[in-house]
Amino acid sequence: MNQKLHIKKGDTVYVNAGEDKGKTGKVLEVLPKKQRAIVEGINMVSKHTKPNAKHPQGGIIKQEAGIHISNLQVVDPSKGGPTKIGRRVNEEGKIVRYAKKSGEEIK
């Protein structure tokens, strides 16, 4: 189950299912084994924490939880909307991801 994912850390993604449907955010972390990604401002959960050095007061903290990668689509760099991702070999012989909507390479 060690397959390539269409999403990488740093990508801007569109949420196409779930509570946050229609929102976009930046990928903070990808968890390939769980097929999930943590996206900035998406799937916020309340976590109860004990007082510690980072949070001396403790209490309830809002933080992002993972969202399944099948519910995410990369945002096209030129057109701005969600797009499917393809892979092709560029002039230097490297495999790069590209947006199927515009054909533009994704950095």
Side-chain angles (χ1 to χ4, degrees):
M1 202 180 133
N2 207 1
Q3 68 189 57
K4 276 262 195 192
L5 303 179
H6 61 280
I7 287 166
K8 285 185 179 180
K9 181 180 173 179
D11 284 349
T12 304
V13 292
Y14 172 86
V15 182
N16 58 24
E19 198 178 290
D20 294 313
K21 182 177 180 174
K23 292 183 182 175
T24 58
K26 190 177 177 187
V27 177
L28 303 173
E29 189 181 351
V30 179
L31 311 164
K33 282 197 172 113
K34 293 182 180 178
Q35 295 271 300
R36 291 182 166 267
I38 294 170
V39 184
E40 197 173 36
I42 304 292
N43 198 17
M44 297 298 280
V45 293
S46 300
K47 186 179 180 195
H48 296 68
T49 57
K50 282 185 168 181
N52 58 27
K54 195 173 181 185
H55 305 284
Q57 194 62 42
I60 300 166
I61 294 165
K62 288 269 196 190
Q63 69 178 45
E64 293 95 351
I67 183 168
H68 200 272
I69 57 149
S70 66
N71 298 330
L72 301 173
Q73 276 190 297
V74 176
V75 173
D76 193 320
S78 62
K79 292 199 175 172
T83 180
K84 289 182 177 180
I85 296 295
R87 288 191 183 85
R88 65 181 172 208
V89 179
N90 67 1
E91 298 84 48
E92 292 104 51
K94 282 189 141 188
I95 295 172
V96 293
R97 299 179 306 152
Y98 72 98
K100 289 209 173 176
K101 248 185 196 174
S102 65
E104 194 177 316
E105 203 173 289
I106 294 171
K107 305 292 183 255

